[in-house]
Structures are given as C-alpha cells and as structure tokens.
C-alpha cells in the first residue's frame, strides 16, 4: 500500500508528530479479522506542508485505512511443514507422548505445546526454549497454533521436563511409524549418506594420541630422574631409604613418594615455604618437582580416558573428533576441526534413521547405523544404496548375513572400470583370470599361492592370500 504525503509522514514520525493506532472492525466465520490503521497529525503541521505537495497530490487525507485480513488457510502455504505437523498430531494418541496427570487445569493445552515443539524441531532442527517463546510472538504459524497465546520459555521448560514422556528422538521414530501406516512409503530401499558437522568446541583444543604418548613418556623419564635425585639426597643424609625406578608410569606410586617426603619434612621440622623472598629447602624443591610431574601424568591419563579408541578429540567437547571439513578457518592450513559424522537414511524422500558418530570414516558407521534401524523398526531394508565410502569386507558380510542386497560400491571401483593401458596393466584388478580364479600377469605367467593368513582385526575373520610369480 502507498500512503499519500509519504515524505511528510516520514518527517513527522521522526519528530514524533504523528500518532498511529489500529482498531478491529469485523470478524468472519473462519476466524479471520479485519483491521484498520489510522494516522493522525496536528492541523498546524498539515497546513504548513500542504503548499509543498499540493501541486503533485490531491487534498491531504488524515485518515488512511489498511485492510489486514489474516487467516491460517489463506496466508500459510499449502505445502508448509506446519500443516503436516497438525495433520499428523490429529491422528496420534496424545497420551503416548504427554503425561496429563501432573498438568493443572489452568495450564497450556498439552496438544498445543506438543505441536509447537514438533514444528520448531521440524522447521529448524533444534530450538531452545527461549527461541520457542520468541517464535510464538513473531511467527504467524506458531501464533495460530498457540491461538494467540504466548507461552514463556519457562512454560516450555516445564512441559519438556515434567509432561513430555518421550524424548525428541523417540518421537521422531514414532512419527515415522505413523506415516508408514498412512502413506505408501517404500521402506525396502534405504538410501544412506553422511556428512560432517562442526562441533561447538573452542579452537586449538587439540588432543592427539601420538603427541600424548610421546609427552607422557618424556614426562615419565623426568619423574625417574627426580626419584634418582631423591634417592641421592637421602643417601647423602645417611638415611636408609631408596625408591624404586618403575618402567611404566604409575601415578599412585608417585603420590606415595610425595606423602613419604611430607612425613620426613614434618619429622625433621622442615617447613613448606612459598612466595617471593622465601628460600626453599633442597627436599622441598624435589618435592615440588615430583608433584608437578605427577600432575602432568594425571593430565595425560585424563587425555587417554577422553580419547578412548580414537586418535584425537577436543578438550572442550571430548565426544568430538578432529576431521577434515570443506572449510578451514585455520588460515587454510589443512588443520582438522572438531566435529561429528552424521549418517542419514532416506526412503521415498522421508528421513527414516539418523545416527551421530565420532568416527572420521563412513566405513565404521554402517553396521551401527543398520543396528539402530533394526532396533527402532524391528526389521532391516532389502536394499541400501550408498557410495564407495561404505564399501568394506565387514559391511559386505553383514549385508549377506541379513539378506541385504549389495548395492554399495567399494574403493577402487571406478579404477577397475577403466580400460587397461600401459599405466594400469600391472594392477591386480586388470590381470586376466583363470577358470579357478587365479591371476595371470601381462607376460602370460600364472601366479601361485605363496601364503594364506587370517585377519581377525575386523568383526568378521578374513582370509588374505599372498600370490607369487617366479618368472
């Protein structure tokens, strides 16, 4: 809409000369309301500005009407996610999701709160309680669902903590089961792919396994040197006390040594001194060094506990693993960033399963992903198309055991599909094969079996055959 005398009105707004207001005039059967906006200005201001704009405009109108006719049916698109949330929640048993035994009669409607929560998570992936309260004040979809009520963030917190029976993840799978019964979804085919999301961790909080191992060994050598100096100190004092030198780091042993030194200092009247201008005794210097080294070893032990079976993690987010990502804000120096590997399975455009892992590679995530799918739905899909990042011996054996067709490529698939030339003709994938599966080199000589070994490092035992050609 275009208001007349817009320059005049803008100037009056800046100088607080105009007054604005709206009034509700009518309401139809569908709940749609019609609003009128009126604008008022002082008469002296109108008279002072009429001469400037009278040649371009008609007589100045002090009363402008704006017709606001807002309705959920007209203003919310037909394919909006909010309509799907309302339609699904109308068919479910609300008692499976919300516990009404603790709710007061004057509290917000449980179905309304559930719809708002599901819409926020479906629309944004995640929404805090304060974000939910803000959406109820600013987003027309949330306002219609809430019937123009404005629940506070504390109301959402109480609903999630006290009344919501299932977690958001369980509600996700329950909604999938409902849609599977209502819609013709082909659940026999599950397309799998993964992506990496950066964790909410601080920069430069690296913990690397190799560095931790190296620093711990170096620190343990310092501890042994300090213990040798302690033994030398007691020998010079003609005290029959000698501490052993251990091969492996042992924090408890170092703490026992420091306790014994404290007892010795107390028995001999040696006081602990600290601060500027205080001179430490020789035994206190040895005590402080050993205690500091013991604390460093304890820190490395915590790092190993956070690492688990991984090679890296973050100090501020121990569950995150450092991975290669597309964007590198470390001056583009190819430094890893802490993140998570998120696997998603889709059937007919519906996300059926989600698995969050700390593994850098997709190979290790396939079997846990399928086990979670089986736990949630009670069965496995018949086909799982995926890229070559999932192809491995363990994954193929798992598919064969569970009746899943092999739709996953393996690493080197495209290299094998290339034509044989001078560069790749000596690769095993381009060798000619015999009737019994043997290999023939480009010179025409057949390979012989030299040794057969069994690899048990994976989930399934694998036989490795070493071939040899004596020509």
């Amino acid at each position: 809409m275009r208001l007349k005398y817009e320059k005049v009105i803008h100037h009056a707004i800046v100088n607080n000369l105009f007054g604005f207001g709206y009034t509700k005039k009518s309401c139809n059967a569908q709940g749609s309301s019609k609003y009128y906006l009126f604008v008022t200005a002082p008469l002296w201001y109108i008279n002072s500005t009429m001469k400037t704009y009278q040649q371009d405009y008609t007589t100045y109108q002090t009363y402008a009407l704006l017709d606001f006719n807002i309705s959920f049916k007209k203003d919310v698109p037909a394919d909006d996610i909010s309509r799907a949330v309302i339609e699904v929640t109308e068919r479910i048993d609300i008692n499976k999701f919300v516990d009404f035994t603790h709710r007061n009669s004057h509290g917000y409607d449980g179905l309304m709160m559930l719809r708002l929560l599901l819409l926020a998570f479906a629309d944004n992936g995640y929404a805090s309680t304060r974000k939910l309260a803000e959406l109820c004040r600013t987003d027309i979809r949330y306002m219609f669902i809430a019937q123009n009520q404005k629940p506070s963030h504390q109301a959402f917190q109480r609903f999630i903590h006290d009344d919501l029976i299932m977690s958001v993840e369980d509600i996700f799978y329950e909604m999938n089961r409902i849609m599977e019964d209502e819609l013709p979804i082909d659940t026999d085919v599950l397309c799998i792919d993964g992506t990496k999301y950066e964790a909410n961790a601080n920069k430069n909080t690296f913990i690397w396994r190799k560095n931790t191992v190296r620093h711990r060994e170096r620190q343990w050598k310092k501890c042994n040197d300090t213990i040798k100096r302690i033994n030398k100190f007691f020998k010079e004092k003609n005290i029959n006390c000698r501490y052993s030198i251990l091969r492996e780091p042992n924090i408890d042993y170092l703490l026992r040594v420091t306790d014994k030194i404290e007892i010795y200092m107390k028995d001999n009247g040696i006081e602990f001194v600290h601060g500027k201008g205080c001179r430490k005794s020789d035994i206190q210097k040895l005590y402080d060094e050993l205690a500091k080294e013991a604390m460093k070893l304890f820190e490395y032990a915590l790092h190993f506990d956070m690492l688990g079976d991984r090679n890296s993690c973050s100090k501020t987010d121990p569950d995150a693993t450092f991975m290669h990502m597309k964007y590198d804000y470390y001056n583009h120096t190819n430094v890893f960033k802490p993140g998570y590997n998120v696997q998603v399975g889709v059937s007919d455009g519906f996300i059926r399963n989600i698995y969050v892992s700390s593994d850098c590679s997709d190979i290790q995530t396939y079997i846990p992903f399928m086990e979670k799918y089986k736990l949630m739905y009670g069965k496995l899909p018949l086909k799982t198309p995926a890229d070559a990042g999932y192809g491995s011996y363990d994954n193929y054996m798992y598919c064969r055991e569970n009746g899943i067709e092999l739709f996953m490529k393996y690493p080197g698939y495209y290299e094998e599909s290339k034509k044989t030339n001078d560069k790749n003709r000596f690769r095993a994938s381009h060798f000619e094969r015999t009737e019994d599966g043997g290999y023939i080199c480009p010179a025409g000589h057949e390979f012989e079996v030299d040794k057969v070994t069994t690899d048990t490092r994976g989930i399934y035992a694998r036989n490795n055959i070493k071939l040899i050609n004596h020509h």
Side-chain angles (χ1 to χ4, degrees), residues 192-412:
I192 304 173
D193 202 0
T195 186
K196 295 173 183 177
Y197 286 88
E198 184 179 356
N200 187 17
N202 295 343
K203 298 180 182 180
N204 302 318
T205 56
F206 315 104
I207 297 178
W208 302 99
R209 179 177 292 276
K210 291 185 178 180
N211 289 346
T212 305
V213 171
R214 182 173 66 253
H215 293 326
R216 187 184 65 165
E217 292 178 353
R218 188 179 302 170
Q219 196 67 36
W220 181 242
K221 289 181 180 179
K222 291 183 179 180
C223 291
N224 288 335
D225 294 340
T226 305
I227 292 176
K228 290 179 182 178
R229 291 161 56 195
I230 292 173
N231 291 335
K232 183 179 179 181
F233 173 82
F234 286 127
K235 186 177 180 180
E236 292 176 353
K237 298 293 183 179
N238 296 324
I239 299 174
N240 188 15
C241 179
R242 185 179 182 280
Y243 296 105
S244 302
I245 305 298
L246 302 182
R247 295 183 178 180
E248 295 293 331
N250 192 327
I251 301 175
D252 294 335
Y253 175 70
L254 297 180
L255 294 178
R256 288 197 298 269
V257 173
T258 55
D259 292 340
K260 295 293 184 181
I261 296 177
E262 287 182 6
I263 296 174
Y264 168 78
M265 295 177 65
K266 184 178 179 180
D267 295 340
N268 291 269
I270 303 175
E271 297 183 357
F272 283 95
V273 293
H274 299 283
K276 187 176 180 180
C278 299
R279 186 177 184 84
K280 296 181 181 180
S281 60
D282 294 337
I283 190 62
Q284 184 182 350
K285 293 179 181 178
L286 296 173
Y287 172 86
D288 292 341
E289 290 182 15
L290 189 62
K292 182 178 179 181
E293 292 161 357
M295 291 303 299
K296 290 295 295 183
L297 289 176
F298 180 72
E299 179 182 346
Y300 296 142
L302 291 178
H303 289 178
F304 280 113
D305 185 61
M306 289 188 288
L307 285 168
D309 56 352
R310 298 173 295 165
N311 292 324
S312 65
C313 72
S314 173
K315 294 178 182 178
T316 54
D317 189 357
D319 294 331
T321 304
F322 281 86
M323 309 176 183
H324 276 297
M325 294 192 184
K326 295 180 181 178
Y327 177 72
D328 178 21
Y329 49 67
Y330 292 98
N331 199 20
H332 300 281
T333 54
N334 203 26
V335 178
F336 297 1
K337 293 192 292 184
Y340 294 94
N341 192 354
V342 180
Q343 303 294 316
V344 178
V346 180
S347 296
D348 279 353
F350 290 89
I351 298 177
R352 298 275 295 168
N353 192 24
I354 299 175
Y355 177 71
V356 182
S357 172
S358 298
D359 293 313
C360 300
S361 174
D362 293 334
I363 293 177
Q364 304 296 331
T365 62
Y366 178 78
I367 295 179
F369 178 84
M370 299 306 297
E371 287 295 321
K372 183 179 180 181
Y373 185 93
K374 183 178 180 180
L375 179 65
M376 293 301 171
Y377 299 107
K379 61 179 182 179
L380 290 172
L382 301 180
K383 301 175 183 178
T384 57
D387 55 30
Y390 297 87
S392 68
Y393 181 80
D394 288 339
N395 294 342
Y396 292 147
M397 289 298 297
Y398 178 84
C399 292
R400 180 171 295 180
E401 280 188 356
N402 293 276
I404 302 174
E405 296 185 35
L406 299 178
F407 273 79
M408 292 183 295
K409 301 179 180 68
Y410 51 87

Side-chain angles (χ1 to χ4, degrees), residues 406-443:
L406 299 178
F407 273 79
M408 292 183 295
K409 301 179 180 68
Y410 51 87
Y413 173 82
Y414 292 104
E415 290 294 332
E416 293 183 7
S417 61
K418 293 181 180 178
K419 294 183 178 180
T420 304
N421 50 43
D422 293 338
K423 293 182 179 180
N424 60 17
R425 66 192 185 99
F426 286 98
R427 292 179 178 272
S429 58
H430 293 278
F431 285 172
E432 296 182 6
R433 305 295 290 269
T434 61
E435 296 180 357
D436 57 351
Y439 291 89
I440 300 176
C441 71

